[in-house]
Amino acid sequence: MPISLPIDPAANDLLRRSPLALLVGMVLDQQIPLEKAFSSPYVLEQRLGHPLDAHELAQYDPEALAEIFARTPALHRFPKAMAARVQEVCRVLVERYDGDPAVLWGSAGTGAELLNRISALPGFGKQKSQILVALLGKQYGVQPDGWRAAAGAFGAETSYASVADIIDEESLAKVRSHKQAMKAAAKAKPKS
């Protein structure tokens, strides 16, 4: 089942057909609502006036890219920092995968290798990397041997723990409920 978020249908379509848009959405998915993070690649493409290209973004003038991210409405709560992060990720893509995220994940032989490759991207810690592995496996058919184990708890068939599980409004509500429960549990945990 392809990703379907409560965002502009054109933004969902871009996420389905552009591996780079999907990766940019994952980069931006922090400290803002996921709807904003995953619709921002579409807005970025509109502002650039053509399809996203990792080679172009890797070489873009950093100040000019930050300005594009900061235009109202800003693509992220921290537009300058996230423009730089997207640029860093694109540079790694160009250096290691000819600018194509589909090569990054499509040529991984195992789930562990896929997780390691994603974890090597700037800004991708363990949890974000596992979520992307789960998203690729559950919704994009990227399922090298051991991908569910590499995705950890996010790889469970019906975990409803991340964007990897969102295919409609009902699954979105379940993911939101899970995240709220996790935050409440973290707040209730005694500090040592």
Side-chain angles (χ1 to χ4, degrees):
M1 175 70 71
I3 193 166
S4 183
L5 299 172
I7 58 177
D8 184 312
N12 267 324
D13 182 57
L14 180 64
L15 295 172
R16 288 185 201 112
R17 63 183 165 76
S18 170
L20 183 56
L22 179 67
L23 187 59
V24 169
M26 280 299 302
V27 170
L28 299 178
D29 189 22
Q30 63 184 55
Q31 299 182 334
I32 61 173
L34 67 89
E35 294 90 342
K36 176 76 171 169
F38 286 97
S39 62
S40 285
Y42 176 73
V43 177
L44 177 59
E45 189 172 273
Q46 298 303 302
R47 290 178 183 177
L48 292 171
H50 54 269
L52 298 177
D53 178 86
H55 291 91
E56 176 191 19
L57 291 171
Q59 297 173 5
Y60 218 89
D61 175 80
E63 292 303 316
L65 188 59
E67 186 278 322
I68 290 170
F69 269 67
R71 279 185 210 155
T72 305
L75 299 183
H76 193 276
R77 183 175 162 199
F78 303 108
K80 186 172 184 174
M82 296 314 285
R85 178 64 49 80
V86 165
Q87 192 163 49
E88 291 168 4
V89 168
C90 287
R91 286 182 182 139
V92 171
L93 286 175
V94 168
E95 291 168 9
R96 298 182 191 166
Y97 305 103
D98 196 29
D100 188 354
V103 172
L104 178 151
W105 50 70
S107 63
T110 66
E113 181 182 359
L114 177 59
L115 181 64
N116 287 337
R117 288 179 177 193
I118 293 169
S119 296
L121 295 173
F124 279 76
K126 181 180 179 182
Q127 182 172 317
K128 184 178 277 216
S129 297
Q130 288 180 316
I131 289 169
L132 183 52
V133 170
L135 178 59
L136 292 169
K138 291 178 178 183
Q139 298 195 36
Y140 290 86
V142 178
Q143 300 177 342
D145 286 343
W147 73 270
R148 283 193 191 274
F154 302 104
E157 195 148 339
T158 54
S159 64
Y160 297 109
S162 73
V163 68
D165 300 296
I166 300 173
I167 57 170
D168 55 23
E169 291 289 338
E170 180 182 349
S171 56
L172 173 63
K174 288 179 180 179
V175 168
R176 284 216 167 103
S177 176
H178 173 81
K179 288 186 175 201
Q180 288 169 348
M182 296 301 289
K183 284 181 183 177
K187 284 182 182 178
K189 187 177 179 179
K191 297 190 181 189
S192 47

